[in-house]
Amino acid sequence: MPLTMMAVHAHPDDECITTGGVLCKYSDEGVETVVVTCTGGEAGEIAHPSLATPETLAAVRTRELAEALRILGVRHHRTLGYRDSGMMSTPDNRHPDAFWRADLDEATGKLVALVRELRPQVIIAYNENGDYGHPDHINAHRIAVAAYYAAGDPNRYPEQGRSPWKPSKLYYSAWPRSHRVLMTRLLAEAGLPDPWGEDDPEWTVPDEDVTTRVDVAAYTARRRAALMAHKTQVPEDSAWMTVPEAIWSQLDAEETFRRAHSRIRTELPEDDLFAGLRTSEG
Ligand SMILES: [Zn+2]
């Protein structure tokens, strides 16, 4: 049985931001890596008008995503086909195809079908707040959690066919406050402005919530190259561009997660998403 990991993401580019390092690392190690992208990113901003128009953005982002996945080494990609809902309380929320308006039971069924097909032991989702409150991230969290519990139950979604499959571990991405503190310090030492000012960004979590830290220091350049493939999403004044690469590579040296559920017994903290699942461990 191959080791398989599924990362459930809201938009093209999210796969790089919270899971780029682990996708590189585990792909290189021979793990079957899966990215599910729930929406096409149609409501994203366009970094430069030469790159796309609102009408062409979805097609352009599909190509950007394919290139990013190639760089990361991701083995399997699936989409759920919803429309980007835009930021909370914007008109895109009300588009009839918006993921925010989707029937979540139906959306969960689509993801259950993928879990049964691809059989991941590990699923990575966002936290309950979608990491930072974006409607599509919140719904991506909801369906990932629902599919984690439902995919192994033969009485749930029988119309999705295939044999039930119980993933072993569910993780949420988790960016600890200490990383934010480190970022502030590195920027101050370099005499550079902090793109987030004095504020504690809403996407950080208390350090004690982090259960799992994966060393991905060897992959920071590749992860960054994959992120840069999303050209429409990286304007010149974004933190990705204004914070020097040398600082990003220190911040991105590990990717951090909260283990939200496990069906196997393993000790915490962990340094491997597959801890307890490798055959050498019995
Ligand atoms: Zn997103």
Side-chain angles (χ1 to χ4, degrees), residues 148-172:
Y148 173 84
Y149 289 104
D153 182 345
N155 298 314
R156 305 284 310 280
Y157 304 99
E159 75 284 3
Q160 296 298 350
R162 298 186 185 267
S163 321
W165 174 257
K166 259 186 198 173
S168 301
K169 296 162 100 179
L170 174 66
Y171 289 93
Y172 299 161

Side-chain angles (χ1 to χ4, degrees), residues 9-14 17 61 126 132 134 136-137:
H9 285 294
H11 310 107
D13 79 4
D14 292 320
I17 293 167
R61 294 195 73 177
Y126 309 124
Y132 75 108
H134 190 296
D136 293 328
H137 286 238

Side-chain angles (χ1 to χ4, degrees), residues 189-247:
E189 283 171 5
L192 293 165
D194 186 331
W196 290 290
E198 298 289 303
D199 297 337
D200 187 27
E202 58 187 324
W203 58 85
T204 61
V205 301
D207 276 58
E208 53 270 29
D209 285 4
V210 174
T211 60
T212 310
R213 294 171 181 266
V214 183
D215 179 353
V216 291
Y219 303 98
T220 56
R222 201 164 120 202
R223 173 191 179 278
R224 185 175 172 84
L227 181 64
M228 292 301 138
H230 293 282
K231 289 191 183 72
T232 59
Q233 303 307 301
V234 189
E236 288 293 318
D237 61 352
S238 78
W240 307 120
M241 300 299 278
T242 60
V243 174
E245 204 170 332
I247 291 182

Side-chain angles (χ1 to χ4, degrees), residues 6 110-120 123 147 151 165 167:
M6 175 183 280
K110 292 183 186 184
L111 192 55
V112 163
L114 296 179
V115 172
R116 289 176 181 168
E117 174 198 346
L118 294 156
R119 306 189 145 213
I123 292 182
W165 174 257

Side-chain angles (χ1 to χ4, degrees), residues 1-280:
M1 180 63 68
L3 293 180
T4 303
M5 174 178 110
M6 175 183 280
V8 181
H9 285 294
H11 310 107
D13 79 4
D14 292 320
E15 77 288 342
C16 297
I17 293 167
T18 54
T19 56
V22 292
L23 287 169
C24 288
K25 172 187 158 71
Y26 289 109
S27 296
D28 275 16
E29 291 177 2
V31 169
E32 295 294 316
T33 47
V34 182
V35 167
V36 178
T37 311
C38 297
T39 81
E42 296 86 345
E45 293 181 13
I46 299 171
H48 191 275
S50 65
L51 296 169
T53 65
E55 291 70 35
T56 65
L57 184 59
V60 171
R61 294 195 73 177
T62 297
R63 291 198 294 274
E64 291 174 345
L65 176 58
E67 174 62 4
L69 294 169
R70 187 191 66 74
I71 294 168
L72 297 171
V74 170
R75 299 273 214 291
H76 310 273
H77 181 237
R78 298 288 191 278
T79 56
L80 295 190
Y82 293 101
R83 190 181 190 281
D84 189 335
S85 310
M87 299 300 279
M88 195 65 91
S89 306
T90 60
D92 285 308
N93 295 175
R94 296 191 295 276
H95 190 286
D97 300 326
F99 188 30
W100 191 233
R101 289 187 47 164
D103 177 332
L104 285 192
D105 194 50
E106 187 183 302
T108 300
K110 292 183 186 184
L111 192 55
V112 163
L114 296 179
V115 172
R116 289 176 181 168
E117 174 198 346
L118 294 156
R119 306 189 145 213
Q121 292 89 357
V122 168
I123 292 182
I124 306 176
Y126 309 124
N127 68 19
E128 298 83 346
N129 184 38
D131 289 351
Y132 75 108
H134 190 296
D136 293 328
H137 286 238
I138 292 172
N139 272 357
H141 161 84
R142 288 172 174 162
I143 68 166
V145 173
Y148 173 84
Y149 289 104
D153 182 345
N155 298 314
R156 305 284 310 280
Y157 304 99
E159 75 284 3
Q160 296 298 350
R162 298 186 185 267
S163 321
W165 174 257
K166 259 186 198 173
S168 301
K169 296 162 100 179
L170 174 66
Y171 289 93
Y172 299 161
S173 45
W175 204 53
R177 295 246 154 78
S178 61
H179 279 203
R180 167 65 180 152
V181 170
L182 173 64
M183 180 179 203
T184 302
R185 182 169 66 75
L186 292 172
L187 286 166
E189 283 171 5
L192 293 165
D194 186 331
W196 290 290
E198 298 289 303
D199 297 337
D200 187 27
E202 58 187 324
W203 58 85
T204 61
V205 301
D207 276 58
E208 53 270 29
D209 285 4
V210 174
T211 60
T212 310
R213 294 171 181 266
V214 183
D215 179 353
V216 291
Y219 303 98
T220 56
R222 201 164 120 202
R223 173 191 179 278
R224 185 175 172 84
L227 181 64
M228 292 301 138
H230 293 282
K231 289 191 183 72
T232 59
Q233 303 307 301
V234 189
E236 288 293 318
D237 61 352
S238 78
W240 307 120
M241 300 299 278
T242 60
V243 174
E245 204 170 332
I247 291 182
W248 274 123
S249 62
Q250 287 186 68
L251 294 166
D252 295 339
E254 64 175 10
E255 271 172 355
T256 46
F257 302 90
R258 171 155 69 95
R259 199 179 75 189
H261 190 265
S262 179
R263 293 185 163 114
I264 57 166
R265 277 176 178 278
T266 60
E267 300 260 314
L268 292 177
E270 301 169 324
D271 59 6
D272 176 14
L273 297 171
F274 289 92
L277 288 162
R278 297 180 187 273
T279 43
S280 60

